[in-house]
């Protein structure tokens, strides 16, 4: 799995702390959508590392409407960015808007943000179009900045061109609750637990009983 080197992760964390201090401490709730877009422009360049003119397309026209940003490197488009005013709570309506923009352009990823909360989605080209939230971070909360750094690193220019989004998606699908549940109820895991209990407590547990214990 591709990750940023420790030195670059520390640099990203430092940049996130500066972003929070500059924009998210104080009367940030009063910012309108235009001001929030300026913040996100700086976020894409100063934090994620995209070159502003070549790699960030603003007000990108999609079927008569405009997506706020599309990121690209060498002509390959990676994710769209839909920005709402900081005072607005992100909703399913905003998600559908971002989802439709991405789907209409055949782009698999969408970032929905109001400048403090960043929700990142994988677009699933099913019928109908669906999406999965791969991560959601609130940068106004200084207690989760390390967690935010761990997630946002995959969106940086350093990783995105090295199949960083593929790594993010593989990690997400590997740790989905349904997959973990399936593994927990697998024959191999149940047999291992039965053997471990027999060895440590010297009792035999039936297969169905162990499944019930795991369920509980």
């Amino acid at each position: 799995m591709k990750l940023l080197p420790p030195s670059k992760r520390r640099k990203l964390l430092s940049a996130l702390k500066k972003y929070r201090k500059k924009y998210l401490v104080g009367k940030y709730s009063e910012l309108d959508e235009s001001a929030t877009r300026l913040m996100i422009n700086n976020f894409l360049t100063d934090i994620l590392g995209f070159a502003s003119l070549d790699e960030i397309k603003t007000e990108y026209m999609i079927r008569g409407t405009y997506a706020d940003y599309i990121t690209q490197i060498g002509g390959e488009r990676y994710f769209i960015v839909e920005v709402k005013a900081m005072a607005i709570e992100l909703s399913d309506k905003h998600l559908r808007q971002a989802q439709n923009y991405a789907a209409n352009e055949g782009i698999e990823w969408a970032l929905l943000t109001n400048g403090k909360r960043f929700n990142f989605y994988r677009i699933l080209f099913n019928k109908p179009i669906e999406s999965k939230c791969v991560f959601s971070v609130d940068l106004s909360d200084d207690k989760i900045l390390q967690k935010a750094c761990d997630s946002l690193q995959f969106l940086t220019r350093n990783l995105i061109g090295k199949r960083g989004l593929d790594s993010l998606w593989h990690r997400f699908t590997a740790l989905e609750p349904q997959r973990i549940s399936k593994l927990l109820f697998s024959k191999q895991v149940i047999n291992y637990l039965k053997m471990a209990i027999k060895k440590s407590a010297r009792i035999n547990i039936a297969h169905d009983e162990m499944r019930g214990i795991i369920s509980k």
Side-chain angles (χ1 to χ4, degrees), residues 164-181:
L165 293 180
D166 288 343
S167 294
L168 177 63
W169 181 241
H170 291 156
R171 174 183 170 80
F172 175 80
T173 55
L175 298 178
E176 281 190 293
Q178 286 181 329
R179 182 183 291 255
I180 299 299
S181 295

Side-chain angles (χ1 to χ4, degrees), residues 14-161:
S14 177
L16 291 174
K17 290 179 178 178
K18 290 178 181 177
Y19 175 89
R20 178 184 177 275
K21 184 177 181 180
K22 182 176 181 179
Y23 295 114
L24 305 184
V25 177
K27 297 182 178 180
Y28 54 80
S29 62
E30 298 177 1
L31 293 179
D32 62 14
E33 192 166 310
S34 296
T36 307
R37 275 201 296 266
L38 289 176
M39 288 172 50
I40 298 305
N41 190 79
N42 292 335
F43 182 88
L44 293 172
T45 55
D46 298 346
I47 297 179
L48 298 187
F50 291 95
S52 58
L53 294 178
D54 295 333
E55 297 173 348
I56 303 173
K57 298 301 179 183
T58 63
E59 294 294 320
Y60 189 90
M61 179 179 279
I62 301 175
R63 296 192 177 183
T65 58
Y66 293 88
D68 291 316
Y69 298 98
I70 283 184
T71 60
Q72 63 178 26
I73 300 175
E76 183 174 352
R77 297 173 300 177
Y78 289 96
F79 60 90
I80 71 111
V81 184
E82 183 61 22
V83 182
K84 299 302 174 185
M86 194 172 287
I88 296 176
E89 292 294 327
L90 301 178
S91 68
D92 289 344
K93 176 183 176 182
H94 303 140
L95 169 58
R96 287 192 295 272
Q97 184 181 7
Q99 181 176 287
N100 289 338
Y101 285 154
N104 287 333
E105 285 295 298
I107 297 174
E108 293 183 327
W109 297 93
L111 178 64
L112 177 61
T113 181
N114 60 6
K116 58 178 178 177
R117 179 166 292 282
F118 291 76
N119 297 342
F120 195 58
Y121 298 90
R122 173 67 180 259
I123 309 303
L124 304 175
F125 292 88
N126 301 326
K127 292 183 179 180
I129 297 293
E130 298 175 314
S131 62
K132 284 197 175 185
C133 185
V134 178
F135 68 78
S136 177
V137 294
D138 185 345
L139 297 185
S140 66
D141 183 357
D142 62 343
K143 296 183 180 65
I144 61 93
L145 286 183
Q146 181 62 64
K147 175 185 174 184
C149 180
D150 293 342
S151 296
L152 289 168
Q153 67 174 313
F154 296 101
L155 276 61
T156 62
R157 193 192 186 285
N158 285 317
L159 278 188
I160 208 166

Side-chain angles (χ1 to χ4, degrees), residues 191-205 210:
N191 285 341
Y192 170 80
L193 291 173
K194 289 169 58 181
M195 291 174 60
I197 290 172
K198 183 176 181 180
K199 183 177 180 180
S200 62
R202 297 187 178 132
I203 59 174
N204 292 316
I205 303 294
M210 181 58 69

